[in-house]
Amino acid sequence: MSSKATLIGNPIPLSLHCHYHLEGNGTPWVFIHGLLGNRHDWQHVLRSLPPECNWLCLDLPGHGGSDKLTLTEGKGFTHTADLIASCLNQLGITQCHLIGYSLGGRIAMFFAKQYPQYIASLVLESAHPGLVSEAEKAARLSHDQAWAQRFSHQPLHQVLTSWYQQAVFRDLTQQQQNRLCQLRQSNQGSAIANMLDATSLGRQPNLTPSLQATPAPIHYLVADSDTKFSTIARQLAQQVPNLKLHRFTEAGHNIHWAKPLEYSQILQQLLSK
């Protein structure tokens, strides 16, 4: 696995920290992690890819090697999309298969709206296309800002313990929750707070219309046990003719963490067509 492209002191400075393997002419797969994650979240998926596959794993602002990046107030999605576009451009990537999980999926949808010319296909894992009513958006923004305050001011281990007790992570065993809390201890609470507020679902536009207008293939990956996002996935499949739904069993909200081998195999089937 190549380890290149740091923000400072690198021969090839990029807008975002990342790991990548780019050789030959194959269309690269670009992976975007979720909140609290980083580029290493995809390592078990990458191990199952054929050696000729090109890939790029980004660190979002506030995460991993990009943790010193602060998003412009009120322009979190636009700023992040611009940073991703700059990174792709710097690496000479003109088209990619864009794969995003949860927050990363929401950013991927927004990126596809802003920069459709880069999208060969779009793969969304457990990602919300956006709320419709202003009341829902206001309630969600208040909810996310409360969490952001906790990340900013409380001990990180304490906030993480509460975070993974949310309903969306109910499939996790106590041991798995503890493991994730350990993995996420390297984050900076204030950096996570900035990203959480700046890219809150309450600030996100409803991206369903832009998905409907996307000419590239769209795939939505969801686990049957993830009740909330299974419902979202079914609704999207009805609203977006170009979207194909793919279900997983024995997994929860984070499918690539629970079943990396099957996840990799599905991606290879989808993106080789």
Side-chain angles (χ1 to χ4, degrees):
M1 183 183 300
S2 301
S3 178
K4 304 179 181 178
T6 54
L7 288 171
I8 300 173
N10 191 282
I12 312 176
L14 301 180
S15 55
L16 291 170
H17 192 279
C18 62
H19 281 176
Y20 57 84
H21 174 266
L22 300 172
E23 296 180 1
N25 298 318
T27 302
W29 303 6
V30 176
F31 295 88
I32 310 179
H33 61 79
L35 189 75
L36 294 166
N38 58 53
R39 64 196 182 280
H40 297 301
D41 287 5
W42 303 100
Q43 60 182 328
H44 296 297
V45 174
L46 298 178
R47 287 172 183 166
S48 301
L49 297 182
E52 66 272 14
C53 181
N54 288 326
W55 52 262
L56 167 68
C57 296
L58 298 167
D59 277 341
L60 288 174
H63 296 73
S66 303
D67 63 348
K68 299 299 187 292
L69 281 174
T70 301
L71 293 176
T72 305
E73 185 174 354
K75 297 183 179 181
F77 285 95
T78 301
H79 190 180
T80 303
D82 290 347
L83 288 168
I84 294 172
S86 176
C87 187
L88 297 182
N89 185 56
Q90 289 167 319
L91 289 170
I93 297 173
T94 57
Q95 272 208 324
C96 67
H97 301 294
L98 190 59
I99 303 155
Y101 159 66
S102 196
L103 168 62
R106 296 196 285 116
I107 289 171
M109 282 183 265
F110 188 86
F111 180 86
K113 175 178 179 292
Q114 297 292 98
Y115 294 98
Q117 68 273 22
Y118 283 101
I119 306 300
S121 65
L122 187 61
V123 180
L124 308 171
E125 176 190 350
S126 310
H128 202 304
L131 301 170
V132 177
S133 77
E134 293 304 314
E136 286 180 309
K137 290 182 180 180
R140 179 55 185 256
L141 180 58
S142 177
H143 171 271
D144 287 347
Q145 287 178 331
W147 274 108
Q149 283 294 311
R150 293 189 64 181
F151 276 110
S152 290
H153 297 102
Q154 295 180 11
L156 186 57
H157 68 87
Q158 179 180 327
V159 186
L160 289 173
T161 298
S162 298
W163 181 264
Y164 286 112
Q165 290 175 355
Q166 294 181 95
V168 73
F169 301 115
R170 64 186 175 188
D171 66 292
L172 299 175
T173 65
Q174 186 61 56
Q175 183 179 13
Q176 289 171 327
Q177 288 182 23
N178 293 340
R179 175 59 178 155
L180 282 171
C181 287
Q182 291 175 346
L183 287 173
R184 304 317 188 199
Q185 283 288 344
S186 61
N187 284 296
Q188 300 297 318
S190 59
I192 296 299
N194 172 256
M195 188 66 174
L196 177 56
D197 188 344
T199 57
S200 166
L201 185 60
R203 298 190 189 277
Q204 177 184 316
N206 176 20
L207 296 169
T208 300
S210 65
L211 291 177
Q212 293 169 331
T214 299
I218 305 171
H219 303 281
Y220 195 104
L221 280 52
V222 69
D224 287 336
S225 62
D226 189 354
T227 307
K228 175 181 177 180
F229 282 87
S230 288
T231 300
I232 290 171
R234 286 195 299 270
Q235 293 171 344
L236 265 183
Q238 294 171 354
Q239 296 170 321
V240 182
N242 205 27
L243 183 146
K244 303 298 182 183
L245 185 58
H246 307 274
R247 300 180 179 278
F248 287 74
T249 60
E250 299 178 3
H253 188 64
N254 190 334
I255 304 168
H256 67 273
W257 185 72
K259 307 191 79 172
L261 177 58
E262 183 178 340
Y263 191 96
S264 175
Q265 292 170 339
I266 290 292
L267 287 184
Q268 291 177 63
Q269 292 173 13
L270 299 180
L271 304 185
S272 65
K273 295 180 181 179

